[in-house]
Amino acid sequence: MKTVITFGTFDLFHVGHLNILTRARQLGDRLVVGVSSDALNIHKKGRAPVYDQQDRMHILEELKCVNEVFLEESLEFKSDYIRTFNADLLVMGDDWAGRFDSLSCLCEVMYLPRTPSISTTSVLEIVKRQK
Ligand code: C2G
């Protein structure tokens, strides 16, 4: 059985998120998703996500293409998560291209092209402009 692992914030869940998850799932038999914690986002991006970590995890848990969801507490723990979940393949969007190549000693690493023209930031901007 081939296990695929991926990571993300998945705030204001949108079709770009769905596309990478369905493509990742098609590359194996089981998809495990690490959802970045609220604390990790505050630390790295200086603000909390719009949806809190429980809600972001809950949305992912209910998706047909996702088999398991866990909380990503630090960007530096990826090798531990890969080992814990016995992952054969790490998938990330190509905005992260090259960033996780050092993990290729643990599992295969693949960067998939992002879905164009949509992001959490662009959704937030559109909503703000419409106020
Ligand atoms: N994504 C995509 N197309 C988009 C937007 C996002 O393919 N239009 C992908 C990203 O490349 C990423 C995943 O969806 O692989 C989740 O995106 P974010 O929620 O923005 O996650 P991010 O904050 O980049 O992840 O260890 C990584 C961290 O958890 C942070």
Side-chain angles (χ1 to χ4, degrees), residues 6-11 14-21 23 34-37 40-41 45 56 72 74-75 78 91-96 100 112-120:
T6 192
F7 297 87
T9 308
F10 303 102
D11 193 22
H14 58 67
V15 74
H17 295 142
L18 187 62
N19 287 341
I20 197 165
L21 293 171
R23 283 182 291 164
V35 176
S36 61
S37 69
L40 174 54
N41 276 275
K45 300 181 185 170
R56 290 181 289 114
E72 180 188 28
S74 164
L75 296 180
K78 286 211 170 47
V91 166
M92 291 298 294
D94 62 4
D95 47 325
W96 291 92
F100 301 117
L112 299 181
R114 276 170 70 93
T115 301
S117 315
I118 186 149
S119 67
T120 298

Side-chain angles (χ1 to χ4, degrees), residues 26-38:
Q26 282 162 8
L27 294 168
D29 308 298
R30 169 181 175 241
L31 177 61
V32 179
V33 184
V35 176
S36 61
S37 69
D38 293 341

